[in-house]
Amino acid sequence: EAGVTQFPSHSVIEKGQTVTLRCDPISGHDNLYWYRRVMGKEIKFLLHFVKESKQDESGMPNNRFLAERTGGTYSTLKVQPAELEDSGVYFCASSPYGSRTTDTQYFGPGTRLTVL
Amino acid sequence: RKEVEQDPGPFNVPEGATVAFNCTYSNSASQSFFWYRQDCRKEPKLLMSVYSSGNEDGRFTAQLNRASQYISLLIRDSKLSDSATYLCVVPPGGSWGKLQFGAGTQVVVTP
């Protein structure tokens, strides 16, 4: 079974540019999460999709970040315009449908974003 | 105060020895707890779940102390392959799906 995949693995852009990150969850997983690790800090939650709906977007830092999950399959996270502080590793995770917080989340390998 | 706090280490452990470290959490409503393992430049992977007082899986033992709000992880008979960063993860009580991570404890097992 394929795991969570993310594209690209690395992205280097200049401040002010736009970047779109993609996540393909494990097939059949309704829950999809985005997290971010900024250098030297802990991994922080960004948002949670259940199918195509945003369940919780309390971690989104500001309106320069836009996440979508059209059709409830893959998700994209767009940063526009990118700022220096957006640099970090963006992880995507997925889990099967469930109403418990205890469902195991499977993480993708992450996208390392560098904003110059 | 951070929601989840961990000693960053590193804990330098001779191969075959035992190492233990703690994680404290601030949200008393949290009901489930996890230890994830993260290798350098890799994604976090679930190591253990802790729902009641503790859990044991082979050489790994996790214990939960709700009164003092901490979780511990003990690794017995350490292997070189145990070298990694161990992330304490505590979903906030009442929140579905969101995970809160500690900054991680680095363990280095030496020959």
Side-chain angles (χ1 to χ4, degrees):
Chain A
E1 179 183 288
V4 178
T5 58
Q6 293 187 243
F7 182 83
S9 56
H10 293 81
S11 181
V12 180
I13 61 172
E14 293 192 351
K15 176 182 172 181
Q17 289 186 322
T18 297
V19 63
T20 300
L21 313 180
R22 173 171 169 143
C23 168
D24 286 80
I26 293 172
S27 178
H29 281 193
D30 287 339
N31 295 293
L32 187 149
Y33 313 85
W34 284 98
Y35 294 87
R36 176 175 75 170
R37 185 168 205 163
V38 172
M39 180 72 75
K41 304 273 187 168
E42 65 274 18
I43 295 171
K44 290 212 165 180
F45 168 84
L46 296 178
L47 88 160
H48 170 201
F49 283 101
V50 177
K51 297 185 180 179
E52 67 276 7
S53 299
K54 292 176 184 173
Q55 173 71 24
D56 181 353
E57 51 183 332
S58 61
M60 294 288 265
N62 51 61
N63 59 11
R64 295 185 293 103
F65 288 76
L66 175 63
E68 294 180 323
R69 194 183 181 195
T70 306
T73 54
Y74 71 91
S75 174
T76 58
L77 179 64
K78 181 192 287 188
V79 185
Q80 178 182 31
E83 298 289 345
L84 298 178
E85 63 265 25
D86 300 333
S87 295
V89 181
Y90 289 77
F91 290 105
C92 175
S94 73
S95 69
Y97 179 80
S99 59
R100 300 172 299 145
T101 62
T102 54
D103 289 336
T104 299
Q105 294 186 21
Y106 300 87
F107 282 76
T111 292
R112 186 171 298 275
L113 174 65
T114 302
V115 182
L116 302 176
Chain B
R1 182 186 173 188
K2 291 183 178 179
E3 291 92 349
V4 182
E5 294 204 64
Q6 296 184 248
D7 182 339
F11 285 71
N12 294 296
V13 188
E15 195 174 6
T18 296
V19 61
F21 41 89
N22 292 340
C23 159
T24 58
Y25 61 94
S26 60
N27 190 334
S28 58
S30 295
Q31 295 296 314
S32 53
F33 309 86
F34 306 93
W35 284 103
Y36 276 71
R37 170 198 170 122
Q38 187 174 26
D39 294 296
C40 187
R41 293 183 170 261
K42 297 286 188 179
E43 71 272 23
K45 291 186 178 178
L46 180 66
L47 178 67
M48 297 184 73
S49 304
V50 186
Y51 300 122
S52 55
S53 60
N55 193 10
E56 184 172 333
D57 183 3
R59 298 181 294 106
F60 297 84
T61 300
Q63 290 197 317
L64 168 64
N65 185 316
R66 288 188 188 274
S68 301
Q69 293 184 206
Y70 75 84
I71 316 114
S72 64
L73 182 66
L74 181 145
I75 307 173
R76 285 185 297 277
D77 187 22
S78 298
K79 312 291 185 190
L80 296 177
S81 57
D82 295 334
S83 296
T85 296
Y86 292 84
L87 305 173
C88 177
V89 181
V90 182
S95 174
W96 171 22
K98 174 181 180 178
L99 298 181
Q100 289 182 327
F101 286 78
T105 296
Q106 186 184 8
V107 172
V108 179
V109 182
T110 55

